[in-house]
């Protein structure tokens, strides 16, 4: 699932491939921007902001969001795409390669001076150089909802998704339904920052310390299976009212109280 660490690695890969180069092909396959052409412009940088990607090209910023299924791929010219063309939503080509955005949930282009209109609402990003722990603690601690819902709200902290929320709450022994005011949010965020930074440079995300397939999570995606710590069956439930957002959570009823 694309969360802050996935987006960080994607931005780094795109930046390494595109930054400093002139755009030779620019194709956005969404009605609103289908006629926009940034060929001839220089790619300045591709940066992550939480779960958002910002590609700064000329005086414009191409914003994309991966949501659940989106991804960016980098291909050498002539290399065969590993996905059907009808899934492609964006192509940025240079003399050396093509960056291809597949199943992107959001695509927008704005003047770079206005990109804060798209991402300015986000809370502090634990993978950013300007991470502000005090502000993140303040925002999360002021949220009156359950801790699972509050942790997913990108206005509090940018980058954590369903998998991180479920795993961090397990590691801290906190039920997802616990009111945020009853949680030591400073300790929770400290663990979250250390975990997402540790996963940032890994090919496979892990919370258990084991990176073999199927062994990286304690509770996420393991409903009905025994807890790796105590053997109690993992439960699955939903929180939050918006069906378009991440709302499924997993927990161990014995380890999380």
């Amino acid at each position: 699932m694309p969360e802050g660490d996935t987006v960080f690695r994607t931005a780094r890969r795109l930046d390494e491939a595109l930054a400093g180069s002139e755009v030779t092909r620019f194709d956005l396959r969404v009605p609103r921007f289908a006629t926009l052409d940034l060929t001839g412009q220089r790619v300045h940088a591709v940066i992550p902001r939480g779960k958002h990607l910002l590609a700064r090209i000329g005086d414009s910023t191409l914003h994309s969001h991966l949501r659940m299924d989106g991804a960016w791929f980098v291909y050498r010219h002539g290399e065969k795409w590993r996905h059907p063309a009808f899934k492609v939503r964006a192509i940025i080509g240079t003399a050396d390669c093509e960056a291809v955005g597949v199943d992107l949930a959001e695509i927008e282009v704005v003047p770079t001076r206005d990109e804060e209109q798209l991402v300015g609402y986000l809370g502090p990003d634990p993978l950013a150089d300007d991470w502000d722990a005090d502000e993140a603690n303040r925002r999360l601690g002021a949220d009156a909802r359950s801790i699972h819902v509050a942790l997913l709200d990108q206005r509090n902290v940018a980058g954590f998704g369903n998998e991180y929320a479920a795993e961090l709450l397990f590691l801290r022994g906190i039920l997802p339904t616990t009111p945020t005011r009853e949680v030591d949010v400073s300790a929770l965020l400290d663990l979250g920052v250390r975990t997402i930074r540790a996963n940032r440079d890994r090919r496979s995300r892990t919370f258990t310390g084991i990176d073999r397939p199927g062994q990286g999570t304690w509770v996420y995606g393991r409903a009905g299976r025994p807890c790796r710590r105590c053997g109690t069956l993992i439960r699955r439930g939903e929180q939050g009212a918006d069906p378009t957002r991440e709302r499924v959570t997993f927990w161990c009823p014995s380890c999380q109280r």
Side-chain angles (χ1 to χ4, degrees), residues 4 56 123 199:
R56 293 169 177 165
N199 279 326

Side-chain angles (χ1 to χ4, degrees), residues 15 34 37 45 54 56 65-66 70 77-78 97 145 147 152 155 162 186 193 248:
D15 188 75
D37 187 4
L54 302 173
R56 293 169 177 165
H65 197 296
L66 305 182
H77 288 296
C97 65
R145 297 170 295 177
I147 186 58
L152 290 180
R155 295 170 296 182
N162 247 10
S186 178
V193 171
V248 177

Side-chain angles (χ1 to χ4, degrees), residues 158-171:
F160 295 136
N162 247 10
E163 187 171 349
Y164 268 93
E167 293 293 302
L168 293 177
L169 294 177
F170 172 83
L171 290 168

Side-chain angles (χ1 to χ4, degrees), residues 22-27 29 37-40 77 81 91-94 98:
E22 181 179 301
V23 175
T24 58
R25 181 183 182 185
F26 190 81
D27 183 3
R29 299 178 179 181
D37 187 4
L38 296 183
T39 57
H77 288 296
W81 291 355
I91 304 170
I92 307 171
T94 69
E98 286 185 334

Side-chain angles (χ1 to χ4, degrees), residues 148-256:
H148 176 83
V149 173
L151 196 57
L152 290 180
D153 193 329
Q154 302 299 293
R155 295 170 296 182
N156 293 330
V157 186
F160 295 136
N162 247 10
E163 187 171 349
Y164 268 93
E167 293 293 302
L168 293 177
L169 294 177
F170 172 83
L171 290 168
R172 289 291 301 168
I174 302 168
L175 271 175
T177 53
T178 304
T180 300
R181 63 179 178 273
E182 298 178 11
V183 173
D184 184 344
V185 296
S186 178
L188 178 63
L189 284 177
D190 179 68
L191 175 64
V193 171
R194 289 187 283 115
T195 304
I196 200 170
R197 288 180 179 177
N199 279 326
R200 176 181 58 193
D201 299 319
R202 292 184 174 127
R203 289 181 60 86
S204 299
R205 182 186 300 153
T206 180
F207 299 90
T208 63
I210 303 172
D211 62 3
R212 290 191 291 273
Q215 299 186 41
T217 62
W218 293 100
V219 292
Y220 184 81
R222 302 191 68 247
R225 300 172 66 183
C227 175
R228 299 187 193 276
R229 280 184 177 169
C230 71
T232 303
L233 297 184
I234 300 299
R235 294 184 183 177
R236 178 188 187 275
E238 295 185 358
Q239 291 209 25
D242 187 346
T244 68
R245 301 288 179 177
E246 297 169 302
R247 56 189 291 186
V248 177
T249 189
F250 302 84
W251 74 95
C252 171
S254 294
C255 295
Q256 294 169 259

